[in-house]
Amino acid sequence: QVQLVESGGGLVQAGGSLRLSCAASGRAFSSYAMGWFRQAPGKEREFVAGISWSGGNLYYVDSVKGRFTISRDNVKNTVYLQMNSLKPEDTAVYYCAGGQIATWDDEFDYWGQGTQVTVSA
């Protein structure tokens, strides 16, 4: 079993930056792909970024390419999402997820509780 705890959300002005962190419990973290999802009010959950267990395979949704960077530290059992040039449309609850997936279309097994990111205009 893996528990995921997100932190780093908050309120920021448009153009600003935030770094989200997701701390994982359990010894299997380094074998899991990790991802960040977000869900805005009234919208479906969106897969924002993903990173393979080794860090060698990355995924970004088009709307965040060039602005967000996902990374991981397998010693600290933590995955990060650096978010720069934030826009009001990035406002959402951001969730960390992990699992042993084969493709980015697969379902992640473990989920955090989410952290709110609010970007003011």
Side-chain angles (χ1 to χ4, degrees):
Q1 191 75 356
V2 174
Q3 291 186 326
L4 304 174
V5 179
E6 303 97 334
S7 62
L11 173 64
V12 65
Q13 289 187 332
S17 298
L18 283 174
R19 188 176 82 155
L20 305 183
S21 298
C22 173
S25 65
R27 291 173 289 179
F29 173 81
S30 60
S31 68
Y32 291 155
M34 300 297 295
W36 286 97
F37 291 75
R38 67 186 178 187
Q39 188 164 21
K43 294 188 176 182
E44 292 187 355
R45 187 178 66 192
E46 178 181 45
F47 184 24
V48 176
I51 186 167
S52 62
W53 66 272
S54 67
N57 186 8
L58 303 177
Y59 168 86
Y60 295 100
V61 68
D62 285 346
S63 59
V64 308
K65 286 180 180 177
R67 300 188 299 122
F68 290 11
T69 302
I70 189 170
S71 62
R72 67 188 296 158
D73 185 331
N74 286 344
V75 174
K76 295 182 177 179
N77 278 13
T78 303
V79 62
Y80 305 97
L81 186 67
Q82 178 67 44
M83 305 186 295
N84 298 329
S85 303
L86 283 162
K87 305 176 181 180
E89 51 264 44
D90 294 317
T91 295
V93 177
Y94 283 70
Y95 298 90
C96 173
Q100 292 181 321
I101 59 172
T103 74
W104 294 124
D105 292 328
D106 292 346
E107 288 290 328
F108 285 84
D109 300 306
Y110 306 104
W111 293 83
Q113 293 299 307
T115 185
Q116 176 71 46
V117 171
T118 303
V119 184
S120 62

